[in-house]
Structures are given as C-alpha cells and as structure tokens.
Amino acid sequence: KVHIVAPIDIVLMKLTRFSEGDREDIKELISRGLVDPGELIKLAYGAINDYVGNLELFKNTLKIILNWFSSLE
C-alpha cells in the first residue's frame, strides 16, 4: 500500500525547519491553491502541544506563512 503525503502535511513538516528551499516549496503549494489557511491554522495549533523547540519561533513562522496566502494567491 502506498501512502501519499497531502500538501498541508508537507507545509507542516517544512514549517519547523523553514530553510530557503522549504520557504519556496511552501510558497509554491500556496500559489497553486493546494493549502487551505484555515486547515493550516487548525492543524498547526493542534500539533503545538507536541512541538519540541522554540514555540515563539514556531508561531512567528506560522504567521509569516499565513501572510503569504494574501500575497501569493
């Protein structure tokens, strides 16, 4: 059985590392309309209790990504 990762899952995985390549991939998924901002917020904040790392950095990165929805669509 083959499992395919959904675009929203790719964004969530790339959100924590957020390298230049990750940013470009996320922007591309947003510009193609493959990610719903409401779903991203719901899933990101749902996973926040399990996040190990700098929580403020996580939240700030999420804000940056959410701002891309208005500028890229």
Side-chain angles (χ1 to χ4, degrees):
K1 191 173 189 180
V2 176
H3 295 277
I4 298 174
V5 178
I8 190 83
D9 296 322
I10 294 170
V11 172
L12 289 169
M13 288 185 285
K14 291 179 172 282
L15 185 148
T16 57
R17 189 173 66 183
F18 212 53
S19 70
E20 181 62 34
D22 295 326
R23 291 189 291 272
E24 293 305 316
D25 292 342
I26 294 168
K27 287 177 182 178
E28 185 66 26
L29 291 169
I30 291 170
S31 69
R32 290 177 182 233
L34 298 174
V35 180
D36 176 68
E39 184 180 8
L40 178 59
I41 292 168
K42 178 181 156 192
L43 292 174
Y45 278 98
I48 213 163
N49 291 332
D50 297 322
Y51 180 69
V52 177
N54 184 327
L55 198 52
E56 284 305 309
L57 183 59
F58 179 90
K59 289 177 182 179
N60 287 335
T61 302
L62 181 59
K63 279 184 193 177
I64 291 168
I65 293 170
L66 292 171
N67 284 331
W68 289 342
F69 281 92
S70 58
S71 64
L72 294 173
E73 289 188 315

